[in-house]
Amino acid sequence: SLEQLLSGKTDRQQVKVMKGEVARLRRELKDLTEDLEDAEDRLEGQTAELKAAGDAMAQMTRRAAARESELMDEAAILRRAKDSDRQSTVADMKAKEEAMETLQQEVKAQAAAHEETKAELAAARQEVTRAKLEQERLSSELDVARSRIDQSA
């Protein structure tokens, strides 16, 4: 701990130790800030991917709705057609439903990844806040130590 590092040292040595600790905290703050920016970039990328997947799903839904309308018309015609023709159309519809289900599962997975990145971002922000508070505390202690040095000089 900082108290252990400072105990038994002269005021000048304490100032050097505190300056080193402040420099370390500044580097840590810089690293955390970079991590935060990286997490924000990943979040933006995942948000764009999620939006693209949502747009694709909406487009597939519109296509499916249009196709459903077409299939309803075809169903009226197919009722008069042979049983084998009707079975092939049903197989096509099942394949489309499976494709829609797969797309919905992908969207859910991307949403979960998005939430996970948001949680990482929140944790990184907390760490940056903690580092800033620690830096302020150390800076205050450094000011006190400097004041003692000035008073003793």
Side-chain angles (χ1 to χ4, degrees):
S1 85
L2 188 59
E3 286 105 22
Q4 291 173 342
L5 289 173
L6 296 176
S7 68
K9 299 218 170 46
T10 66
D11 287 344
R12 289 181 192 261
Q13 289 173 331
Q14 287 180 356
V15 168
K16 282 185 178 181
V17 168
M18 291 179 76
K19 282 182 179 179
E21 187 64 16
V22 167
R24 183 190 67 76
L25 285 171
R26 282 186 177 142
R27 286 189 304 273
E28 185 179 331
L29 180 61
K30 181 182 177 228
D31 291 344
L32 288 171
T33 301
E34 289 172 357
D35 290 347
L36 178 61
E37 290 171 358
D38 290 344
E40 286 172 342
D41 290 344
R42 284 195 313 274
L43 180 61
E44 286 176 12
Q46 288 180 350
T47 300
E49 289 174 9
L50 189 59
K51 183 183 180 311
D55 291 347
M57 187 172 155
Q59 184 177 9
M60 287 291 288
T61 302
R62 286 189 299 273
R63 286 181 184 166
R67 181 66 178 143
E68 182 180 16
S69 177
E70 293 171 8
L71 289 175
M72 294 296 261
D73 293 343
E74 289 178 19
I77 296 168
L78 289 175
R79 282 188 198 107
R80 292 177 242 126
K82 292 182 180 176
D83 191 48
S84 63
D85 289 341
R86 189 178 312 139
Q87 289 176 357
S88 68
T89 301
V90 169
D92 288 346
M93 287 179 65
K94 283 184 180 180
K96 287 183 178 163
E97 288 174 1
E98 290 173 1
M100 284 292 291
E101 184 175 320
T102 301
L103 184 57
Q104 287 174 339
Q105 289 172 352
E106 290 174 6
V107 168
K108 285 179 185 178
Q110 287 181 357
H114 176 75
E115 289 302 318
E116 182 179 319
T117 301
K118 282 172 61 176
E120 289 175 6
L121 180 60
R125 284 184 175 145
Q126 281 183 327
E127 188 63 26
V128 167
T129 301
R130 185 204 57 76
K132 284 180 181 178
L133 290 173
E134 180 69 14
Q135 182 182 12
E136 289 174 10
R137 185 186 64 78
L138 289 173
S139 180
S140 174
E141 289 180 16
L142 180 61
D143 290 343
V144 169
R146 284 183 180 152
S147 174
R148 278 194 246 139
I149 288 172
D150 290 344
Q151 289 175 358
S152 67

